[in-house]
């Protein structure tokens, strides 16, 4: 077993909740009844012995082809394979034990589309092919039958085992065979991939390779699926679990590019290996699961957008978000009182830096208890008044909610959420039926069991009571839902429940002072301020980062199952599966074992919280930000990228995180801006506040005890933030249109460059830049002490990119790159030629004030004088929106046509139209038949500005010049 504790290049931070507190109760040791060979070389595989075709696909029986190998569990003799052509672009291949003993995700937990009623068997672009013995299958495209299959489990397509460890120093990557293995505690299936395939997704992970996964370098990589509370490690399993990938194939000869997707619908603990054996002419993907069944879905794409949309159609599309969710959010662990919290709101206002949503962390609680507020430091009535005051300024409030529910210390300790939950029987159990005890900040705790009948009711009630007591939240922040617990396994029946001392010194306390700074900042030389310069000298004195930041190239009821220590040890970063979470033998209502459902706890909490908010705030769009996610989480919540570090390296890593979660259909995502763990500094915070302004979820969050990092703390950061937020609020109609497309169709709002330019191979590993929608290219600075940044400009010279602020065309070199000026406080943003963006003309202090003002339109003509854009408008709050309006903007030489459809009445007028790329000085400008008076032409910028308009957007308009 491989247990790498912390492989990040950074030093160990003094506080991590992965530190294991107590090793008290030994999870009931179950002896292995069987001697497992721990080697699959003698596994016989399966052969197909009967097959029935239907209109929708086929069903076949497989039987074990020889003596059981019992590699890491007991082989099943009989399997059933179901192949269903669910749509023209989605094919399901499900292989399960015929006796249905293995855990499968209940329909009540994740609803999937109903089975097809028409046949797609002969029209689907995906074709299922098989060989009966040894049974293997492969997936091809109907449109391209001779191409390398998209997925291929044939032994003849895989390298010849046995193979020495493919990843050096990891013996578990010695490959002793590729048979189909289906045991109660071990399932293995291997597919061939093109050599060093372009694979994106599989997570949650911070991959050292970048957004494009490492398939070949140093043998490859391993994605482990096991939800874990761990401060953002590199190349390890962490909070969320997403067994879905997009693969992109590009044929240089035909210049054809196509993407497809593969999703394993399973909550089982697993390793997914992306490997390239030395000298092999292909790479491979190997699934190793410790339970469940194989339930694969293939998506035909063929564009990356289509793959992501097809995945969304299966697991669920992202929920609608209110416009205020796109405002700027401020949070930190360590606002210890209502006064300190209010001071932030005032300081932001005084500095004229927009603040949309104020947050509180666990400081809010009384004795760290969920659903409370401290009567002295956050009295309920004062909180109510404070939150209502915020609301009167169109500002919002979001508090934290921890996953663990405190257990009362003794009989006189009255804590209603526990008492009521106990009464309604809503908590996770031990195998003997007693309540399972864990330990988190408040001391000993219990955990909601989302499988129990009354948990939803209890959760909704608790949320309602909290709000009634003064915490009138607009949204909810769900933390610790991996689910985190500080004992290894159960804290035991004999736990001293009266002990509520915090399990670790909190960060900032004696013994846990925060002493870390960004990589090149030396506080022993520069002092603790974190300023860019101290006494005239730059504080960043080392540029090691330039080297680091290279572009990555690169079953509850089953007998005989060992719930406590499955024979195959997945590569869980901390080793034993029960460390820092609840024990794998903890039992949920209905008999579900934690081992099988662990990875879904967070998603189930998100669903329950979403349903509760729908009931408590009827007609409004719930805003929930959660840490541990699973397929379908996006239907209920957004995500923040967890406990990152105030390091330049993490500024870069946050881009791949945002891109990954677009694939996972959880597009509302963002990092702790300026960095969570450790002290930040002025320069890093400045760059980060600017970068995050172009990221869906925009929140500055900081750990307790670290240097303050609110955007007003440094003048340069304040300036940079004001500029970036103004740009963001100007672009709000663009953001909300992108998110409408996500909620309606699953189209990813934030995109890797290659999604839009899939035949440009030089873009396949670019993850230091990203696109917001199709048209806004962001090229952030990711390193200290620089005032320029190099970017690539897609389109190979065929696309005109204009600077967002100056409207100048970028001068791109022959290799497609440009070096851009990027002084501190400036983030490079470019508009794609051929686009038309609806904007707000006057960004205000809040999104509400911004929305109350008029619109403007920015049209960037391509050299052929063409541009096109769309915008979606609704009231920004209704759930689901019943009234909406769709605008299209389409420009050809000398003319722009606006069309308007829908039933939402847009009150704000279109005040200004800017058209870039107008080559000839216009003599006459007219707007819907009237000669325009107020226009200006700036010939060096080929820019026509028509101002002082008051165009109605509820009908068609024509502008000509
Ligand atoms: O064990 O609530 O990821 O954002 O500030 C630490 C305190 C618990 C972890 C979260 C972080 C939050 C912190 N929490």
């Amino acid at each position: 077993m491989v247990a790498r504790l912390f492989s990040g290049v950074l030093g160990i931070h003094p506080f991590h909740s992965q530190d294991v507190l107590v090793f008290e109760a030994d999870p009931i040791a179950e002896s292995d009844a069987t001697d497992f060979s721990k080697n699959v070389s003698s596994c016989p595989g399966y052969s197909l012995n009967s097959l029935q075709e239907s209109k929708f696909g086929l069903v076949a029986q497989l039987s074990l082809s020889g003596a059981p190998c019992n590699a890491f569990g007991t082989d099943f003799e009989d399997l059933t394979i179901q192949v269903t052509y669910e749509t023209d672009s989605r094919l399901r291949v499900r292989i399960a034990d015929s006796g249905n003993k293995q855990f499968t995700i209940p329909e009540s937990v994740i609803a999937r589309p109903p089975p097809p009623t028409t046949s797609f068997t002969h029209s689907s672009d995906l074709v299922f092919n098989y060989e009966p013995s040894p049974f293997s299958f492969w997936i091809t495209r109907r449109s391209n039958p001779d191409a390398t299959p998209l997925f291929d489990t044939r032994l003849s397509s895989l390298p010849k085992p046995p193979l020495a460890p493919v990843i050096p120093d990891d013996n578990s990557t010695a490959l002793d065979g590729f048979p189909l293995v289906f045991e109660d505690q071990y399932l293995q299936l291997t597919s061939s991939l093109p050599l060093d395939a372009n694979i994106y997704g599989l997570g949650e992970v911070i991959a050292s390779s970048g957004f494009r996964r490492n398939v070949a370098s140093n043998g490859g990589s391993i994605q482990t699926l096991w939800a874990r509370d761990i401060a953002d490690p590199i190349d390890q399993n962490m909070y969320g679990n997403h067994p879905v990938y997009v693969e992109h194939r590009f044929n240089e000869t035909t210049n054809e590019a196509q993407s497809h997707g593969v999703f394993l619908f399973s909550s089982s603990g697993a390793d997914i290996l992306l490997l390239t054996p030395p000298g092999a002419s292909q790479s491979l993907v190997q699934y190793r699961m410790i339970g469940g069944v194989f339930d694969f879905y293939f998506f035909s794409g063929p564009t990356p957008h289509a793959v992501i949309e097809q995945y969304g159609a299966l697991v669920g599309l992202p929920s609608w978000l209110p416009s205020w969710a796109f405002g700027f959010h401020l949070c930190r662990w360590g606002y210890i009182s209502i006064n300190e919290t209010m001071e932030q709101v005032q300081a932001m206002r005084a500095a004229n830096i927009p603040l949309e949503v104020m947050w509180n962390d666990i400081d809010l609680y009384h004795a760290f208890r969920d659903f409370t507020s401290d009567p002295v430091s956050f009295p309920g009535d004062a909180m109510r008044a404070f939150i209502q005051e915020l609301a009167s300024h169109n500002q919002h409030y979001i508090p934290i909610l921890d996953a663990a529910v405190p257990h009362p210390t003794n009989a006189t300790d009255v804590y209603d959420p526990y008492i009521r939950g106990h009464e309604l029987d809503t908590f996770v159990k031990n195998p003997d039926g007693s309540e399972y005890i864990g330990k988190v900040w408040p001391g000993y705790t219990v955990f909601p069991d989302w499988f129990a009948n009354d948990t939803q009711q209890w959760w909704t009630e608790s949320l309602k009571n909290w709000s009634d007591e003064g915490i009138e939240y607009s949204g909810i922040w769900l933390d610790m839902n991996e689910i985190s617990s500080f004992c290894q396994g159960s804290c035991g029946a004999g736990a001293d429940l009266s002990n509520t001392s915090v399990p670790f010194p909190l960060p900032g306390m004696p013994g846990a002072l925060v002493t870390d700074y960004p990589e090149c900042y030396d506080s022993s030389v520069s002092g603790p301020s974190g300023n860019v310069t101290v006494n005239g000298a730059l504080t960043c004195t080392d540029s090691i980062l330039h080297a680091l930041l290279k572009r990555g190239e690169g079953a509850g009821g089953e007998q005989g199952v060992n719930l406590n220590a499955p024979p195959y040890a997945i590569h869980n970063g901390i080793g034993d599966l029960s460390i820092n979470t609840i024990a794998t033998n903890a039992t949920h209502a209905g008999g579900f074992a934690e081992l099988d459902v662990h990875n879904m706890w967070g998603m189930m909490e998100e669903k329950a919280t979403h349903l509760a908010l729908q009931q408590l705030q009827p007609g409004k769009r719930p805003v929930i930000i959660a840490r541990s996610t699973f397929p379908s989480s996006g239907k209920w919540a957004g995500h923040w990228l967890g406990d990152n570090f105030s390091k330049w390296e993490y500024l870069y890593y946050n881009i791949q995180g945002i891109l990954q979660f677009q694939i996972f259909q959880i597009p509302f995502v963002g990092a702790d801006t300026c960095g969570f763990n450790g002290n930040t500094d002025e320069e890093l915070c400045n760059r980060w506040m600017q970068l995050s302004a172009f990221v869906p979820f925009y929140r500055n969050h900081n750990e307790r005890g670290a240097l303050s990092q609110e955007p007003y703390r440094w003048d340069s950061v304040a300036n940079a933030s004001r500029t970036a937020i103004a740009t963001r609020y100007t672009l709000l109609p663009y953001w909300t249109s992108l998110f409408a497309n996500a909620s309606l169709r699953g189209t990813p709002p934030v995109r890797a460059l290659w999604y839009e330019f899939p035949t440009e191979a030089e873009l396949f590993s670019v993850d230091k830049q990203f696109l917001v929608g199709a048209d806004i290219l962001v090229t952030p600075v990711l390193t200290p002490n620089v005032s320029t940044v190099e970017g690539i400009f897609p389109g190979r010279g065929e696309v005109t990119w204009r600077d967002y602020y100056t409207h100048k065309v970028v001068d791109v070199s022959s290799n497609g790159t440009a070096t851009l000026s990027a002084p501190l406080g400036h983030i490079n943003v470019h508009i794609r030629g051929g686009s038309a963006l609806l904007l707000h003309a006057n960004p205000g202090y809040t999104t509400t004030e911004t929305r109350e003002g008029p619109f403007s339109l920015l049209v960037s003509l391509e050299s052929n004088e063409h541009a096109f854009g769309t915008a979606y408008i609704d009231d920004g709050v209704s759930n689901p929106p019943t009234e909406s309006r769709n605008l299209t903007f389409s420009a050809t030489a000398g003319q722009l046509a606006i069309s308007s459809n829908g039933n939402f009445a847009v009150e704000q007028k279109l005040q200004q139209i800017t058209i870039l790329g107008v080559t000839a000085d216009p003599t006459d400008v007219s707007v819907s038949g009237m000669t325009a008076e107020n226009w200006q032409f700036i010939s060096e910028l080929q820019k026509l500005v028509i101002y002082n308009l008051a165009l109605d957007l509820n009908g068609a308009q024509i502008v000509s010049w």
Side-chain angles (χ1 to χ4, degrees):
M1 158 137 87
V2 180
R4 293 156 301 183
L5 271 173
F6 190 81
S7 73
V9 291
L10 306 164
I12 299 227
H13 188 265
F15 162 81
H16 287 306
S17 44
Q18 86 270 18
D19 297 335
V20 175
L21 175 66
V22 238
F23 288 84
E24 293 173 24
D26 182 16
I28 316 111
E30 256 177 56
S31 60
D32 282 7
T34 324
D35 274 338
F36 298 117
S37 68
K38 305 208 166 178
N39 180 306
V40 300
S41 58
S42 63
C43 294
Y46 288 81
S47 48
L48 184 140
N49 48 30
S50 79
L51 182 146
Q52 260 190 318
E53 283 195 43
S54 83
K55 211 163 123 185
F56 307 110
L58 60 88
V59 179
Q61 304 305 320
L62 307 179
S63 52
L64 200 63
S65 298
C69 60
N70 298 335
F72 297 94
T74 308
D75 295 75
F76 283 97
E77 291 281 346
D78 299 305
L79 306 180
T80 301
I81 175 168
Q82 278 171 282
V83 176
T84 315
Y85 291 92
E86 294 198 336
T87 71
D88 273 342
S89 56
R90 183 172 81 227
L91 170 65
R92 180 181 188 187
V93 177
R94 183 180 189 275
I95 306 176
D97 53 303
S98 302
N100 292 322
K101 288 258 186 319
Q102 292 286 97
F103 175 77
T104 57
I105 298 175
E107 195 63 31
S108 61
V109 175
I110 301 180
R112 274 158 291 162
T117 50
T118 46
S119 172
F120 298 99
T121 312
H122 303 292
S123 57
S124 165
D125 193 32
L126 296 169
V127 179
F128 174 85
N129 313 267
Y130 69 93
E131 242 165 38
S133 191
F135 172 77
S136 60
F137 70 93
W138 63 104
I139 310 289
T140 50
R141 279 189 197 277
R142 188 180 309 277
S143 56
N144 201 353
D146 300 328
T148 308
L150 305 184
F151 201 83
D152 189 350
T153 69
R154 283 174 291 187
L155 302 181
S156 57
S157 304
L158 290 157
K160 280 270 150 314
L163 295 154
V166 177
I167 298 179
D169 304 328
D170 183 347
N171 286 334
S172 80
T173 64
L175 303 176
D176 42 30
F178 301 118
L180 173 64
V181 182
F182 202 120
E183 302 173 340
D184 52 1
Q185 300 243 267
Y186 187 71
L187 292 84
Q188 182 185 298
L189 180 145
T190 315
S191 164
S192 170
L193 293 173
L195 187 63
D196 198 13
N198 298 305
I199 302 272
Y200 307 85
L202 300 178
E204 177 176 12
V205 72
I206 300 172
S208 56
S209 63
F211 178 51
R212 181 178 180 274
R213 299 303 300 267
N214 169 20
V215 176
S217 129
N218 227 5
S221 58
I222 301 177
Q223 178 64 48
T224 297
L225 303 174
W226 191 253
R228 187 158 78 105
D229 170 8
I230 174 81
D232 291 8
I234 295 169
D235 293 332
Q236 291 188 21
N237 60 310
M238 49 195 294
Y239 312 111
N241 293 283
H242 297 276
V244 58
Y245 69 78
V246 176
E247 190 193 331
H248 187 60
R249 295 191 184 174
F250 172 60
N251 183 330
E252 278 177 43
T253 323
T254 61
N255 203 40
E256 231 182 30
Q258 289 186 314
S259 297
H260 64 272
V262 179
F263 171 47
L264 173 64
F265 186 73
S266 166
S267 57
S268 170
D271 281 340
I272 302 177
L273 298 88
L274 296 167
L275 300 177
T276 305
S281 55
Q282 71 280 74
S283 299
L284 59 89
V285 54
Q286 183 170 79
Y287 293 84
R288 300 178 179 178
M289 297 149 67
I290 57 173
V293 302
F294 289 121
D295 195 355
F296 284 102
Y297 288 88
F298 299 91
F299 309 105
S300 68
T303 65
H305 292 170
V307 175
I308 296 171
E309 289 164 357
Q310 289 153 8
Y311 175 59
L314 176 70
V315 296
L317 301 175
S319 61
W320 287 88
L321 289 164
S323 346
W324 63 263
F326 295 93
F328 174 68
H329 302 244
L330 182 60
C331 186
R332 95 165 283 177
W333 185 10
Y335 293 143
I336 58 164
S337 64
I338 179 170
N339 287 344
E340 204 177 324
T341 310
M342 285 163 67
E343 276 163 30
Q344 304 312 313
V345 178
Q346 287 151 10
M348 290 293 286
R349 180 74 70 167
N352 194 28
I353 305 169
L355 173 64
E356 187 89 4
V357 190
M358 190 66 209
W359 295 47
N360 274 125
D361 204 313
I362 54 174
D363 315 277
L364 170 69
Y365 294 155
H366 176 55
F368 297 105
R369 292 180 164 191
D370 269 0
F371 304 114
T372 66
S373 74
D374 189 83
V376 176
S377 45
F378 291 90
D381 287 340
M383 284 303 288
R384 187 194 326 277
F386 164 53
I387 296 169
Q388 291 183 356
E389 171 77 10
L390 283 175
S392 73
H393 294 107
N394 304 309
Q395 290 168 304
H396 296 264
Y397 180 77
I398 295 185
I400 194 168
L401 192 51
D402 271 351
V405 173
H407 190 292
T409 51
N410 58 44
T412 59
D413 176 11
V414 178
Y415 174 62
D416 289 335
Y418 172 80
I419 296 170
R420 182 70 175 141
H422 181 78
E423 213 172 79
L424 291 176
D425 197 11
T426 63
F427 301 125
V428 174
K429 305 280 177 40
N430 290 303
D432 68 1
S434 58
E435 245 163 41
Y436 182 97
I437 304 290
K439 185 167 190 170
V440 196
W441 299 117
Y444 290 99
T445 66
V446 291
F447 302 94
D449 176 6
W450 307 111
F451 288 95
N453 285 337
D454 295 328
T455 310
Q456 178 73 59
Q457 181 199 334
W458 162 76
W459 191 246
T460 307
E461 259 176 47
S462 307
L463 275 159
K464 175 169 191 307
N465 292 341
W466 200 21
S467 185
D468 288 348
E469 281 154 22
I471 308 305
E472 294 185 356
Y473 49 78
S474 294
I476 293 289
W477 172 21
L478 297 175
D479 191 15
M480 309 292 269
N481 58 353
E482 291 68 34
I483 176 174
S484 180
S485 172
F486 302 156
C487 293
Q488 176 176 15
S490 165
C491 298
D496 173 7
L497 297 175
S498 65
N499 180 2
T500 59
S501 59
V502 294
F504 310 105
L506 300 173
M509 285 180 136
L513 295 179
V514 178
T515 53
D516 239 15
Y517 282 85
E519 292 88 332
C520 56
Y521 189 100
D522 183 347
S523 59
S524 66
V525 175
S526 303
S529 70
N531 293 351
V532 164
T533 57
V534 169
N535 296 329
L538 270 182
T539 51
C540 175
T541 51
D542 181 350
S543 40
I544 42 159
L545 268 161
H546 298 276
L548 278 174
L549 285 175
K550 69 167 178 353
R551 205 167 256 153
E553 221 53 81
E558 246 175 320
Q559 298 298 304
V561 159
N562 185 342
L563 292 178
N564 298 309
Y568 176 76
I570 60 171
H571 289 59
N572 185 27
I574 201 164
D576 191 293
L577 299 181
S578 298
I579 296 183
N580 213 181
T581 184
I582 67 177
T584 41
N585 72 352
T587 308
H588 297 255
F592 296 115
E594 174 69 9
L595 179 68
D596 290 322
V597 299
H598 172 78
N599 285 342
M600 299 194 293
W601 200 96
M603 181 274 293
M604 293 180 80
E605 185 198 33
E606 290 142 23
K607 181 176 180 180
T609 308
H610 188 106
L611 296 177
L613 292 191
Q614 270 187 344
Q615 196 177 325
L616 299 173
Q617 306 176 345
K620 291 194 181 166
R621 305 177 187 173
V623 175
I624 297 166
I625 295 295
R627 201 167 70 176
S628 178
T629 58
F630 189 73
S632 78
S633 275
K635 265 181 93 165
W636 319 115
H639 174 63
W640 93 100
L641 295 166
D643 295 354
N644 64 6
F645 294 77
S646 299
K647 300 281 181 191
W648 289 92
E649 187 182 26
Y650 279 83
L651 180 63
Y652 159 65
Y653 283 137
N654 93 69
I655 301 175
Q656 62 164 282
I658 291 150
L659 292 173
Q660 251 179 50
F661 275 84
Q662 310 297 306
I663 295 179
F664 303 155
Q665 285 292 356
I666 309 170
F668 194 61
V669 60
D672 282 351
T673 298
C674 298
F676 178 76
N677 283 310
N679 299 298
T680 194
D681 71 7
E682 180 180 359
E683 189 180 7
L684 178 62
C685 193
N686 185 311
R687 296 296 191 190
W688 213 324
M689 279 300 295
Q690 291 221 309
L691 192 161
S692 293
F694 297 90
V695 165
F697 173 50
Y698 186 18
R699 182 184 73 158
N700 180 321
H701 178 44
N702 193 5
E703 98 173 291
R704 197 180 181 282
L707 205 59
S708 294
Q709 62 183 37
E710 294 82 7
Y712 62 82
R713 297 279 175 179
W714 285 284
D715 287 347
S716 83
V717 180
N719 277 325
S721 304
R722 281 187 289 260
T723 315
I725 297 173
T727 306
R728 179 182 178 91
Y729 289 8
T730 302
L731 283 164
L732 200 61
Y734 184 62
W735 275 111
T736 49
S737 298
L738 288 169
F739 270 80
N741 283 333
S743 297
L744 292 166
R745 285 178 277 280
T747 316
V750 181
R751 304 173 190 170
L753 276 54
W754 68 265
Y755 292 7
E756 292 288 330
F757 301 89
T759 59
E760 298 178 17
E762 64 276 20
L763 303 178
F764 294 169
S765 30
V766 172
D767 60 6
K768 288 160 82 181
Q769 292 169 275
F770 57 95
L771 286 159
V772 178
D775 300 324
I776 294 283
L777 174 61
V778 184
T779 308
V781 168
L782 303 172
T783 54
N785 281 352
V786 299
S787 54
T788 59
V789 62
E790 204 202 341
I792 188 157
F793 286 83
R796 295 191 175 158
E798 301 293 307
V799 174
T800 307
W801 292 95
R802 294 184 170 91
D803 185 289
Y804 178 81
Y805 315 90
T806 65
H807 296 160
K808 274 200 194 121
V809 174
V810 191
D811 202 0
V812 179
S813 72
S814 56
N815 69 358
T817 65
T819 299
L820 310 164
S821 168
L824 195 60
H826 178 73
I827 182 162
N828 278 281
V829 178
H830 290 85
I831 323 155
R832 183 170 172 175
S835 65
L837 311 179
L838 185 70
L839 308 172
H840 286 308
N842 309 317
Y845 191 77
T846 59
T847 60
T848 306
E849 286 152 87
T850 305
R851 284 168 59 91
E852 280 164 2
F855 289 103
S856 68
L857 181 68
L858 178 61
V859 178
S860 177
L861 296 170
E862 197 35 273
S863 36
N864 60 4
E865 303 208 325
H866 168 85
F868 182 78
T870 61
Y872 166 95
I873 307 180
D874 65 16
D875 67 1
V877 282
S878 306
N879 192 30
T882 47
E883 297 187 338
S884 63
R885 185 161 290 279
N886 286 293
L887 305 176
T888 65
F889 310 99
S890 98
T892 50
Q895 182 168 304
L896 164 73
I898 302 179
S899 78
S900 175
N901 287 293
N903 57 357
F904 178 74
V906 182
E907 276 173 42
Q908 293 74 17
K909 304 287 189 236
L910 179 59
Q911 189 182 56
Q912 180 168 315
I913 301 176
T914 303
I915 302 165
L916 308 174
V918 173
T919 44
D921 197 345
T923 49
D924 190 29
V925 176
S926 78
V927 178
S928 294
M930 312 265 287
T931 303
E933 304 285 326
N934 300 304
W935 59 271
Q936 194 191 359
F937 183 68
I938 305 160
S939 58
E940 17 0 314
L941 290 173
Q942 303 190 331
K943 168 169 159 177
L944 170 64
V945 187
I946 315 168
Y947 49 96
N948 283 348
L949 293 168
L951 284 190
D952 180 11
L953 287 175
N954 297 298
Q957 304 284 358
I958 295 270
V959 180
S960 42
W961 59 91

